[in-house]
Amino acid sequence: MASVSLRNIRKNYTRDVTVIRDVSLDIDDGEFIVFVGPSGCGKSTMLRMIAGLEDITGGELYIGETLANDIHASKRGIAMVFQSYALYPHMSCAENMGFALKLAGTPKAEIDSRVQRAAEILEITHLLERKPKALSGGQRQRVAIGRAIVRNPKVFLFDEPLSNLDAALRLNMRVELSKLHQELQTTMIYVTHDQVEAMTLADRIVVFHAGLIQQVGSPLDLYENPSNLFVAGFLGSPKMNLLAGVMLECGDGLASLSLQQGMIVSARCNASHLRVHDKVTMGIRPEHIRLVSADTAGALAAQVDLIEHLGDVVLAYIEIPGIHEVLCMKLPGSAPALAYGDRIHIAFPPEHVLLFDHEGNALPRLPA
Amino acid sequence: MPSRKHVHAMLHTGAHYTSLILFALFTTFPFIWALSSGLSGDASHMYLFPDGFWPHEATLDWFARVFREMPFTTYLKNSTILAFFTIAGVVAVSVLAGYPLARMKFPGRGLVFVAIIATMMLPSEVGIVPNFITLKHFGDAAAALQGTLGLGPDWNLREWIGLNSYFGAIVPNVAGAFGIFLMKQAFEQIPQDLIDAARVDGANEMQILWKVMVPVTGPSIAALAIFTLVSAWNDYLWPSLVMNSKEKMPLAVGVFNDLTGPFATSDNILMAAIVLTVIPVLVFFAFTQRYFISGMDGAVK
Ligand SMILES: Nc1ncnc2c1ncn2[C@@H]1O[C@H](COP(=O)(O)OP(=O)(O)O)[C@@H](O)[C@H]1O
Ligand SMILES: [Mg+2]
């Protein structure tokens, strides 16, 4: 087991294509950390640099206390699980799982017992003698994870390990991975583009975008206090509603802004470094929009565009006249029935409204 | 009454079978002809159509005479030695050259590959004269070495690496562009993740090559081995030039030398010898063909 530290890591594939710009991060021993971001943002590249499969262009990588930049992949004591599973097709599952130990010269009896133990944890004992081609996708992924466990690595790396599985199996494996981490207490670095996986698995999430870390924090912290527009838009499903506006009142108390058509919204944010008429973006999560009666203070008129019943919740897509943005609102399943074309009134509770300045950075929120 | 669809399907299958059977007859007819002539006690029907295609007064006499009238087992042994070491050499060279061309980055890689492929444009006969002269010099050098070292005449180093040596008959056939090309393609097919997985598992480059890449490309290697076997087994021209003593001739050369020409006994014994020459390859193929089938299934996805 070991911590991992990244210090100003950079990666260029060619001289002028920079994939990772300047990434610094401390990963604690035993932590489950998830790198999340859109496809192509450099997550796999980052992971492969930690694994030793790509050269590091600049910066320092520490695994434990050791500077690992120039240590060969085979000597880093890490295990990696690939999206494609990458099982050796000519070996049985047991041989696949024992391959690393065999290369390391471990006695055969010990290899057998460790493979057996890992197989028991993953419930694949009955598959050990089979070749990978005789397994289903989910079983192959278990074997691939088994191959990683057997080695007692210092760090586990996962590169989108569940992306090739169907939805039900993915959910299943997600739960098992969580349990596995509980059991092993080994540092795990997990890459995914799926924000649900990130939210459910991580001790801490690292949001990547365009080769830069956008924000690091616990899933809940990132959800509630995104530090910029990218994180706000990336985490959460359905997405946070974002509307453009200009500042009306700045101060360090309640800030207020005006949307198009002069609609006024208040937010419990510290906007003291902004000035009146500065352009801002306000954000509010679907579950925080309130359905109110017409005479409530600050009520905005709106019209229902589409209703989706998901059983436990109802998603209502609504439009405010004059603002050409569809807002999404999440209501409890027991909410009064809405239908296409209904005229309703909504309110944005100030404590749930987030503000982002013109560069997309979040304004600090004030305690309620 | 069968439906139109049914009739259609039957016609379709019938056409498939007919064309496959015709093709099989076309490719096997020389062998069938040779076999029936070798088995015929009455040689007079051999050149008649279609009588030539089945045995008349069936007998194994001709086969027995092959063993009496020429040193068949010696030739068989020589063919086996030549084929075995040619296969081993071709596979080793093709794997070791194909891997870096497919998987390593080094300056000039493209140029090296083009140069190797360019040799395929030349007919192999252009190599005969230079190779022959080179071998002769090898032999002279070996003989000189023998003199310097003061070894007795029964060492005969000249025939270890010069003319009339197994070495000389094998080595020019070992470096072939075709095998390198085939193995390069095979190595390129292997997913990068598989190599990365082995690397993370602690394998160094040589272990990756021998424990992962080579086993995974097994079907390609088996195919290469079979092609090489057939061409080495049937090779006539080069061994007939290099090997001038009967003890070292392979079957193709020996059968031709002993059973054709003005003093040949009969065409039937030649046909029997040809059948005996082909059988070892057929047997080998029958036992190895299942290795061609398995492949990459299950490695990724
Ligand atoms: N071997 C490579 N050579 C050049 N560019 C690459 C290479 N591998 C990845 N890239 C580029 O680097 C960027 C990040 O890739 P990657 O790390 O795979 O993204 P992610 O895993 O986040 O989807 C992409 O734009 C991709 O095109
Ligand atoms: Mg990726």
Side-chain angles (χ1 to χ4, degrees):
Chain A
M1 294 212 240
S3 58
V4 175
S5 296
L6 312 175
R7 302 247 181 286
N8 307 101
I9 298 277
R10 271 190 308 111
K11 173 70 186 177
N12 291 25
Y13 275 113
T14 55
R15 191 166 310 162
D16 36 48
V17 179
T18 307
V19 177
I20 299 289
R21 285 168 204 285
D22 179 12
V23 167
S24 297
L25 180 69
D26 285 308
I27 300 169
D28 294 334
D29 191 3
E31 198 173 15
F32 197 130
I33 201 136
V34 174
F35 293 175
V36 69
S39 202
C41 67
K43 311 175 297 284
S44 294
T45 304
M46 195 61 243
L47 201 68
R48 292 169 59 82
M49 284 195 282
I50 298 174
L53 297 171
E54 298 286 353
D55 294 332
I56 297 172
T57 311
E60 287 153 10
L61 164 71
Y62 290 89
I63 297 177
E65 302 300 312
T66 329
L67 180 65
N69 283 38
D70 296 322
I71 300 179
H72 191 262
S74 60
K75 305 275 185 297
R76 291 194 185 186
I78 44 149
M80 185 156 171
V81 177
F82 296 83
Q83 179 179 355
S84 65
Y85 317 144
L87 297 176
Y88 311 119
H90 57 292
M91 298 182 198
S92 70
C93 295
E95 287 168 330
N96 260 286
M97 289 165 69
F99 185 60
L101 296 179
K102 195 168 148 203
L103 288 175
T106 315
K108 187 158 182 335
E110 193 189 334
I111 297 181
D112 288 346
S113 78
R114 279 164 75 171
V115 167
Q116 196 63 34
R117 200 161 353 118
E120 275 160 23
I121 294 175
L122 294 162
E123 294 166 13
I124 49 172
T125 324
H126 60 296
L127 304 175
L128 284 179
E129 295 316 313
R130 292 205 204 156
K131 292 270 176 72
K133 70 172 166 223
L135 302 182
S136 70
Q139 290 170 331
R140 285 178 200 173
Q141 193 54 282
R142 276 167 200 269
V143 175
I145 293 170
R147 184 169 66 181
I149 295 177
V150 162
R151 297 175 45 201
N152 277 331
K154 291 189 224 161
V155 182
F156 281 100
L157 306 179
F158 295 92
D159 193 353
E160 311 218 11
L162 308 185
S163 298
N164 284 343
L165 302 180
D166 63 55
L169 209 50
R170 203 178 308 163
L171 196 96
N172 232 318
M173 288 300 290
R174 213 164 71 201
V175 174
E176 301 221 358
L177 277 174
S178 263
K179 278 200 263 174
L180 192 67
H181 180 245
Q182 298 275 317
E183 203 163 317
L184 302 175
Q185 295 293 332
T186 309
T187 315
M188 293 190 174
I189 307 178
Y190 186 105
V191 162
T192 179
H193 65 265
D194 178 352
Q195 49 106 7
V196 180
E197 267 174 39
M199 296 292 286
T200 50
L201 284 170
D203 291 332
R204 276 196 303 161
I205 293 179
V206 181
V207 181
F208 276 86
H209 180 47
L212 283 172
I213 292 184
Q214 302 293 317
Q215 195 175 357
V216 183
S218 72
L220 220 54
D221 189 32
L222 259 56
Y223 188 77
E224 289 184 342
N225 298 304
S227 67
N228 60 36
L229 269 176
F230 178 80
V231 178
F234 191 76
L235 296 180
S237 166
K239 281 185 181 210
M240 181 183 280
N241 298 297
L242 298 170
L243 293 171
V246 293
M247 290 309 295
L248 276 184
E249 232 176 280
C250 295
D252 51 5
L254 209 58
S256 62
L257 70 155
S258 117
L259 305 178
Q260 277 157 319
Q261 308 290 322
M263 279 169 270
I264 294 173
V265 174
S266 316
R268 199 171 271 289
C269 291
N270 182 347
S272 50
H273 73 283
L274 294 185
R275 274 170 300 166
V276 176
H277 299 313
D278 275 356
K279 279 193 175 144
V280 288
T281 305
M282 65 146 279
I284 184 158
R285 298 238 175 242
E287 63 271 30
H288 292 145
I289 301 182
R290 288 279 116 77
L291 204 54
V292 294
S293 58
D295 49 1
T296 313
L300 303 172
Q303 189 171 0
V304 176
D305 255 7
L306 178 72
I307 297 287
E308 286 178 348
H309 291 279
L310 301 183
D312 55 337
V313 294
V314 176
L315 297 182
Y317 297 89
I318 57 176
E319 207 168 338
I320 300 175
I323 298 180
H324 300 289
E325 293 272 355
V326 175
L327 302 184
C328 176
M329 154 181 204
K330 197 189 262 183
L331 299 165
S334 57
L338 294 177
Y340 168 76
D342 281 0
R343 294 180 183 282
I344 56 172
H345 286 87
I346 56 169
F348 301 147
E351 66 275 21
H352 290 305
V353 174
L354 301 176
L355 289 184
F356 302 90
D357 63 20
H358 68 284
E359 285 174 339
N361 294 319
L363 303 189
R365 295 173 74 176
L366 297 173
Chain B
M1 192 175 145
S3 69
R4 274 186 62 165
K5 211 170 150 188
H6 195 75
V7 172
H8 197 87
M10 271 176 36
L11 282 178
H12 205 76
T13 326
H16 269 251
Y17 273 98
T18 314
S19 50
L20 285 174
I21 288 169
L22 283 178
F23 184 72
L25 283 177
F26 178 71
T27 50
T28 50
F29 104 87
F31 182 74
I32 294 170
W33 192 14
L35 185 62
S36 69
S37 309
L39 289 170
S40 292
D42 174 6
S44 60
H45 298 267
M46 186 171 166
Y47 295 105
L48 298 180
F49 182 83
D51 288 34
F53 287 99
W54 56 85
H56 297 267
E57 298 169 30
T59 168
L60 288 174
D61 267 4
W62 299 116
F63 287 91
R65 283 183 59 184
V66 168
F67 287 91
R68 263 182 276 130
E69 293 185 16
M70 70 177 212
F72 183 84
T73 44
T74 309
Y75 295 159
L76 182 66
K77 180 197 78 183
N78 292 333
S79 276
T80 310
I81 291 174
L82 294 189
F84 178 82
F85 286 101
T86 307
I87 292 173
V90 165
V91 168
V93 167
S94 304
V95 165
L96 290 173
Y99 182 66
L101 286 173
R103 285 290 175 179
M104 291 180 179
K105 292 200 179 80
F106 55 89
R109 179 172 79 157
L111 198 67
V112 170
F113 183 61
V114 168
I116 290 174
I117 290 302
T119 64
M120 283 171 114
M121 310 297 152
L122 295 173
S124 59
E125 285 77 6
V126 296
I128 286 179
V129 171
N131 283 340
F132 191 88
I133 294 171
T134 310
L135 274 189
K136 184 184 174 306
H137 289 314
F138 270 16
D140 293 346
L145 183 70
Q146 186 174 344
T148 343
L149 294 178
L151 299 170
D154 41 338
W155 279 77
N156 199 8
L157 283 194
R158 183 186 290 280
E159 292 198 359
W160 286 26
I161 58 167
L163 294 173
N164 203 27
S165 69
Y166 291 123
F167 174 87
I170 292 167
V171 166
N173 292 328
V174 158
F178 173 72
I180 295 173
F181 179 73
L182 189 83
M183 289 317 298
K184 174 180 179 275
Q185 298 300 103
F187 287 130
E188 278 173 351
Q189 297 290 315
I190 297 182
Q192 181 63 35
D193 277 358
L194 211 57
I195 300 170
D196 288 343
R199 207 165 275 156
V200 171
D201 269 347
N204 61 35
E205 298 302 315
M206 266 303 170
Q207 286 169 322
I208 292 175
L209 178 59
W210 292 116
K211 301 200 172 181
V212 177
M213 302 296 266
V214 166
V216 169
T217 51
S220 295
I221 292 177
L224 178 60
I226 285 283
F227 289 141
T228 310
L229 170 69
V230 171
S231 71
W233 198 265
N234 295 337
D235 193 12
Y236 171 78
L237 186 56
W238 179 245
S240 77
L241 297 173
V242 175
M243 300 305 205
N244 45 38
S245 75
K246 244 178 154 52
E247 294 76 60
K248 290 193 174 174
M249 280 178 191
L251 276 170
V253 179
V255 167
F256 185 81
N257 279 10
D258 292 1
L259 301 181
T260 65
F263 306 110
T265 340
S266 88
D267 285 349
N268 296 66
I269 187 172
L270 174 63
M271 292 303 169
I274 287 171
V275 171
L276 287 174
T277 305
V278 176
I279 282 174
V281 181
L282 290 181
V283 171
F284 183 82
F285 188 76
F287 280 104
T288 52
Q289 61 164 335
R290 68 192 178 92
Y291 295 108
F292 300 91
I293 304 160
S294 69
M296 287 297 301
D297 321 359
V300 294
K301 294 273 168 65

